[in-house]
Amino acid sequence: MASKERIQRLKEETRVNILEASLDIVKEEGWQSLSMRKIADKIEYTAPIIYEYFANKDAILNELTRQGFVKLSRQMEEASSAHTSPAEQLEAMWLAYWNFAFANKELYQVMYGVEMNCCTFENSCPDIQGPANMLWDKITELVPKENQTEEYICTKYYTFWSVVHGLISINMTRQTRQSTDDINKQVLKDAISGIINSIK
Amino acid sequence: MASKERIQRLKEETRVNILEASLDIVKEEGWQSLSMRKIADKIEYTAPIIYEYFANKDAILNELTRQGFVKLSRQMEEASSAHTSPAEQLEAMWLAYWNFAFANKELYQVMYGVEMNCCTFENSCPDIQGPANMLWDKITELVPKENQTEEYICTKYYTFWSVVHGLISINMTRQTRQSTDDINKQVLKDAISGIINSIK
DNA sequence: TACCTTTGCTTAACGGTGTTAAATTATTTA
DNA sequence: TAAATAATTTAACACCGTTAAGCAAAGGTA
């Protein structure tokens, strides 16, 4: 019977609907308030139905993560194919990575575990800016007076922080393999002295 | 009556106990499974008591975050004070930042919103390594054959990713100020071409 | 057509969460 | 000792993820 296929197609569809509804909710209210019951509401079913398509809530997040990586791969390949020299291709790929992260904020967050807990708290508490200020001031000390524009210092500060925080994030999200720790510390030291030397 | 002060001291103490218990639980079972009832269990009270010391669960996290930044500041200052030249001081401060992150993993996670969701999933799903492989291969292309050791390519790959992912994380956790977007993109491009040029 | 079986879906429930209000116990004060 | 206040617990609410039981419609079979 051909109705079997129609039903199969409908099932495919609600599977997609579940994923889309999830992403919609996250876009509207953030990862924290994504719940099975809200997803069910959005697809006009009750919660237990979802378990016929996904083993549990984590499985939904995992599938979204997977699709995120597939999408990212596609966009990076596309960016790369617009150039011929490897150097240009590599730069294009990283720019595509960057663009993907902001065009698909929610996906990137679940893919790389970037949370944003306490944005409001951050501005209301002076202690939090302590380390930032210390580093900012020290960088300012290093920059010759004639180049001490806020923009230049800001650029250097962000470059520093990106490298260090990025390396830390990578090492924290992946389980630490003892063997690569030395490499990471080497990357860190190289990067830091590299940036310091770039300050003029 | 001096008993007033003693009681005040006891209250101070359970406040500290709540924070310590929270951190203990997180160290043992992770942020996800930190609950008011578990904290209460650990300090040998019932859950509602906690609300006399903290407005809600978020307030506990915020206080831990604050204390994290205070501790980080102290350690960075200490590191800095061991040197005299600004360049050495700056490097020491970043190394202190690095060391803090791994010596106080849980604090760093709540301070900077670094989650580790799906470590197990990551290894079980090939799609996830797509982008990583693409970049790895492209970097390999750029490295002259005589320098194509795994360690060298790994170093470059991590350096790239650190910069880009770090910048993205920073821009995501802080609310995006439109004005600094240009600076960030400039940092990104500078960093990428800097690393590309450093490949030999 | 009548019966049985399968399917799709919902309701109800369990144990957990953060949080609040009421009740209870202990302590201090008059 | 009695009243007032403080400290703490119990009970409850609304939510969460998840599972088991129940029901109603559809399909197949005699």
Side-chain angles (χ1 to χ4, degrees):
Chain A
M1 318 276 159
S3 71
K4 275 268 166 74
E5 291 166 23
R6 201 202 62 225
I7 286 170
Q8 188 64 26
R9 243 182 300 125
L10 280 177
K11 282 205 131 194
E12 229 9 83
E13 204 174 291
T14 63
R15 207 188 116 93
V16 172
N17 284 345
I18 290 171
L19 294 169
E20 283 180 355
S22 303
L23 210 50
D24 283 348
I25 293 168
V26 171
K27 278 177 187 165
E28 286 159 17
E29 311 175 46
W31 286 107
Q32 195 130 40
S33 69
L34 175 67
S35 80
M36 299 300 260
R37 285 173 174 88
K38 271 185 197 162
I39 298 171
D41 257 25
K42 208 143 209 169
I43 63 171
E44 295 181 304
Y45 279 106
T46 51
I49 278 291
I50 304 175
Y51 292 87
E52 287 189 16
Y53 299 88
F54 295 95
N56 50 33
K57 193 182 172 184
D58 253 23
I60 298 176
L61 300 191
N62 283 343
E63 177 58 16
L64 286 175
T65 302
R66 202 191 59 78
Q67 290 188 4
F69 276 100
V70 170
K71 191 172 180 181
L72 172 57
S73 285
R74 238 192 344 259
Q75 295 189 6
M76 280 169 56
E77 260 158 22
E78 206 180 305
S80 174
S81 70
H83 298 83
T84 50
S85 90
E88 282 173 339
Q89 284 178 334
L90 188 56
E91 181 173 351
M93 284 159 78
W94 279 119
L95 286 175
Y97 184 102
W98 172 271
N99 288 329
F100 173 88
F102 292 100
N104 306 85
K105 213 166 167 173
E106 296 77 20
L107 278 185
Y108 191 87
Q109 279 170 12
V110 74
M111 286 161 70
Y112 291 100
V114 183
E115 288 249 330
M116 24 184 207
N117 276 340
C118 39
C119 287
T120 55
F121 176 57
E122 206 141 273
N123 296 330
S124 69
C125 180
D127 288 324
I128 293 200
Q129 266 141 22
N133 290 338
M134 289 170 60
L135 293 164
W136 187 282
D137 294 345
K138 191 54 68 181
I139 292 169
T140 309
E141 247 183 273
L142 265 172
V143 177
K145 283 231 169 55
E146 62 268 25
N147 292 334
Q148 279 183 12
T149 64
E150 181 160 338
E151 191 179 327
Y152 184 75
I153 292 163
C154 188
T155 302
K156 292 302 171 187
Y157 171 67
Y158 271 22
T159 308
F160 266 121
W161 194 7
S162 300
V163 175
V164 180
H165 177 65
L167 255 182
I168 289 169
S169 301
I170 290 165
N171 279 280
M172 280 200 175
T173 50
R174 330 244 147 289
Q175 63 272 38
T176 358
R177 304 170 215 119
Q178 198 71 14
S179 60
T180 61
D181 270 10
D182 297 338
I183 293 180
N184 289 324
K185 202 131 191 175
Q186 195 52 46
V187 173
L188 176 72
K189 287 200 169 185
D190 281 358
I192 289 175
S193 51
I195 300 169
I196 289 178
N197 287 330
S198 81
I199 294 176
K200 292 196 185 82
Chain B
M1 319 276 161
S3 73
K4 276 269 165 72
E5 292 165 23
R6 199 203 62 225
I7 287 170
Q8 188 65 25
R9 244 182 302 125
L10 280 177
K11 283 206 130 195
E12 215 33 66
E13 205 173 290
T14 63
R15 208 189 115 93
V16 172
N17 284 344
I18 289 171
L19 294 170
E20 283 180 356
S22 303
L23 211 49
D24 283 348
I25 293 167
V26 171
K27 278 177 186 164
E28 287 160 16
E29 311 175 46
W31 286 108
Q32 196 130 39
S33 71
L34 174 67
S35 80
M36 299 300 261
R37 284 172 175 90
K38 270 185 198 163
I39 298 171
D41 257 24
K42 208 143 210 169
I43 63 171
E44 295 180 304
Y45 278 106
T46 50
I49 278 291
I50 303 175
Y51 292 86
E52 286 189 16
Y53 299 88
F54 296 94
N56 50 34
K57 192 183 173 184
D58 254 23
I60 298 176
L61 299 191
N62 283 343
E63 177 58 16
L64 286 174
T65 303
R66 202 191 59 78
Q67 290 188 4
F69 276 99
V70 170
K71 191 173 180 182
L72 172 58
S73 285
R74 238 191 347 258
Q75 295 190 7
M76 280 168 57
E77 259 158 22
E78 207 180 305
S80 174
S81 70
H83 298 84
T84 49
S85 89
E88 283 173 339
Q89 284 178 333
L90 188 57
E91 181 172 351
M93 284 160 77
W94 280 117
L95 285 175
Y97 184 102
W98 173 271
N99 288 329
F100 173 90
F102 291 101
N104 306 84
K105 214 166 166 172
E106 295 78 19
L107 279 185
Y108 191 87
Q109 279 170 13
V110 72
M111 286 161 71
Y112 291 100
V114 183
E115 289 247 330
M116 23 184 205
N117 276 341
C118 37
C119 288
T120 55
F121 176 56
E122 206 141 275
N123 297 331
S124 70
C125 179
D127 287 326
I128 294 200
Q129 266 141 21
N133 289 338
M134 289 171 60
L135 293 163
W136 187 281
D137 293 345
K138 191 53 70 181
I139 292 169
T140 308
E141 247 183 273
L142 265 171
V143 177
K145 283 228 170 57
E146 63 267 26
N147 292 333
Q148 278 183 12
T149 65
E150 181 160 339
E151 192 179 327
Y152 184 73
I153 292 164
C154 187
T155 302
K156 291 302 171 187
Y157 171 67
Y158 272 22
T159 309
F160 265 120
W161 194 9
S162 300
V163 174
V164 180
H165 176 65
L167 254 182
I168 289 169
S169 299
I170 290 164
N171 278 280
M172 280 199 175
T173 51
R174 330 244 149 289
Q175 63 274 37
T176 0
R177 306 170 214 117
Q178 197 70 15
S179 62
T180 60
D181 270 11
D182 297 338
I183 293 178
N184 289 324
K185 201 127 191 178
Q186 195 52 47
V187 173
L188 176 72
K189 288 200 167 185
D190 281 358
I192 288 175
S193 51
I195 300 169
I196 289 179
N197 287 332
S198 82
I199 294 176
K200 290 194 185 84

